[in-house]
Amino acid sequence: MSLVDWNLIRRFGDIAAADSIMSAARHILEVLRVTVVVRGSFVQKGPVLYISNHKSGLDGMFLLSVIARDDLHMVGLASYELLGVKFAQKLLPMYRFRKKRDYFLDIVAGGADHHILSDISLVRRKNQDSIARGAEIVTKGGVVVIFPTGSAGRRPSQGIWKAGVGFLAKQIKNPKTQVIFVAIEGGSRRDMGRFMHPLLRTIFYRSKTVVLTFAKPVLLSKIITKEKDGKDSVWELEREYRAIFKQT
């Protein structure tokens, strides 16, 4: 018996292809018995960079279930390409170098390790390409979601956020770009376990509620200093986030 509910993962791709990614995300969360509560509002038009905390493997699913924009793209691990062709087209894939713990992942969830590579130079090049593509999407008026405390990328000397969000922000050329900070409460590292076999999921997981708080939009140009580089911009963004939500 596989420990992973691959049928549910394939169902996401099928629903996304037939309807929308939002519909697929809402269906999956319903099956996983997760209710999402939203506080705040969204920007319906124009370039937006959503920056969210990241405590759960389902954080991306939470946001996909509520942001109603067809031009939404998400920075996330390349393994999320398993969610189907339509979502893969919206994914800005990130990779990381193989670690010893990843051999355990091969055992319990073989096939879910697309984001793990053995060539560090290839990891950096691919991640840089995804960040550059994300900046281009926002520059052209689209939407990108990024989780700056994710497992991919390097951390500058200040703060706890990874450098990718700073380099993405610095490459955005549209002066109308707005940043919306998001705080997700109620998620945990255990949440990805909800994708285990339905029988195991019933035994080990109960219904839960997650709260998504969207801050008021702020022009990107009001947060980052033009003369500073990407690494310095990370701290400017993180500092603004902490000031709004009083948390890391």
Side-chain angles (χ1 to χ4, degrees), residues 2-164:
S2 173
L3 294 179
V4 178
D5 189 352
W6 292 109
N7 288 329
L8 182 60
I9 292 173
R10 284 189 287 269
R11 200 182 311 163
F12 181 100
D14 293 341
I15 295 174
D19 190 349
S20 68
I21 290 175
M22 173 182 277
S23 295
R26 288 181 173 180
H27 172 78
I28 295 301
L29 291 176
E30 181 179 355
V31 173
L32 299 183
R33 296 189 293 173
V34 178
T35 300
V36 176
V37 175
V38 175
R39 296 173 180 167
S41 58
F42 316 104
V43 174
Q44 302 299 332
K45 296 181 180 180
V48 181
L49 178 62
Y50 284 96
I51 302 178
S52 175
N53 63 334
H54 193 29
K55 295 184 177 181
S56 165
L58 293 179
D59 288 336
M61 197 71 69
F62 302 152
L63 290 170
L64 291 173
S65 73
V66 299
I67 302 176
R69 286 190 55 166
D70 292 335
D71 57 353
L72 183 147
H73 290 71
M74 181 171 291
V75 178
L77 293 178
S79 55
Y80 288 111
E81 292 175 349
L82 292 169
L83 292 174
V85 174
K86 191 169 184 178
F87 181 71
Q89 294 171 347
K90 300 293 185 179
L91 181 67
L92 300 167
M94 300 299 289
Y95 302 82
R96 65 173 176 77
F97 186 66
R98 178 174 288 277
K99 300 177 181 179
K100 289 183 178 179
R101 68 187 186 196
D102 295 322
Y103 293 102
F104 176 73
L105 177 64
D106 293 340
I107 296 172
V108 300
D113 58 353
H114 296 188
H115 62 289
I116 300 170
L117 300 174
S118 299
D119 185 338
I120 188 64
S121 61
L122 181 60
V123 167
R124 291 171 180 166
R125 186 165 67 251
K126 282 180 171 288
N127 289 350
Q128 289 168 359
D129 288 346
S130 290
I131 290 298
R133 183 174 164 233
E136 182 181 7
I137 288 167
V138 178
T139 296
K140 292 181 177 179
V143 180
V144 167
V145 174
I146 188 169
F147 303 96
T149 58
S151 62
R154 288 187 171 186
R155 183 175 292 134
S157 57
Q158 293 190 86
I160 63 171
W161 285 14
K162 300 295 179 66

